[in-house]
Amino acid sequence: MKTKTAKNYTYNGLGFPIKLQNITLMLIDDEWSPRIDIRKVAVNAIRELPYQKERLTGHQIKFIRTYFEMSLREFASKVVSESHNAVAKWERFGAEPTNMDENIESMLRLYIIDKVSTRTKKQAQEFIKSFRIIREMSFIKKTPKPLLIRA
């Protein structure tokens, strides 16, 4: 099997672009495909999304909801305190930033941080630090760049 290394590779398999670095590509049926651990990419993506300076897109909202294995109704009521119709509307924005209220988006970002990183006292302190960073964020009103993670 032929392989090569790509210095930069944009992966779209999670619904939004993720820039991966130094990825091995394999030639399968005359098409170059990345040799990656998709679960690891998803874990790294969910950890990086809260710190993205740009507004979350519809595809990213759907990724977050499905990552935590929630239905529209469950996500709407337990995470963002909105109607499931509002969540469905945000997801329909696709690759574009949603029009969700910035306070709701901040709470969603904090929810992610809480779910993936607060298990010890030190992690709780990191959560508070993250809370302060997100609270002070001034969201940029443009389409997000590909998320950069190390696979």
Side-chain angles (χ1 to χ4, degrees):
M1 182 174 296
K2 286 187 176 181
T3 63
K4 67 179 182 179
T5 301
K7 186 174 181 180
N8 291 301
Y9 181 84
T10 301
Y11 177 69
N12 290 297
L14 299 179
F16 53 95
I18 297 176
K19 185 178 178 182
L20 301 173
Q21 296 177 325
N22 300 318
I23 296 299
T24 300
L25 300 175
M26 301 181 311
L27 188 60
I28 302 172
D29 295 331
D30 296 323
E31 188 175 324
W32 289 102
S33 299
R35 192 171 127 204
I36 57 174
D37 180 343
I38 296 171
R39 186 164 183 65
K40 185 177 176 183
V41 172
V43 167
N44 287 330
I46 202 72
R47 289 182 181 279
E48 292 298 322
L49 274 174
Y51 303 102
Q52 172 180 289
K53 294 199 182 299
E54 298 86 9
R55 300 295 304 267
L56 295 172
T57 67
H59 290 315
Q60 291 170 333
I61 298 298
K62 185 172 183 174
F63 167 74
I64 294 164
R65 180 177 64 78
T66 57
Y67 181 88
F68 291 116
E69 300 175 344
M70 295 181 150
S71 68
L72 280 170
R73 289 184 191 277
E74 185 179 17
F75 185 81
S77 66
K78 291 184 179 179
V79 179
V80 294
S81 300
E82 285 288 326
S83 71
H84 71 280
N85 290 329
V87 175
K89 180 181 172 185
W90 298 334
E91 289 182 3
R92 283 193 298 269
F93 275 81
E96 297 298 316
T98 69
N99 64 351
M100 79 168 57
D101 180 89
E102 287 185 9
N103 291 320
I104 293 171
E105 185 168 329
S106 293
M107 293 308 295
L108 174 55
R109 290 169 184 253
L110 292 169
Y111 174 85
I112 295 167
I113 294 166
D114 182 46
K115 287 295 180 190
V116 300
S117 64
T118 56
R119 301 208 187 347
T120 66
K121 186 174 181 177
K122 183 177 180 182
Q123 290 170 333
Q125 291 169 339
E126 286 296 316
F127 175 79
I128 297 298
K129 182 179 173 184
S130 297
F131 170 78
R132 289 185 179 125
I133 290 169
I134 289 172
R135 188 179 62 194
E136 294 170 3
M137 267 186 189
S138 173
F139 293 114
I140 299 170
K141 308 287 186 194
K142 64 180 182 181
T143 304
K145 299 172 189 166
L147 202 59
L148 175 62
I149 62 173
R150 287 155 190 81

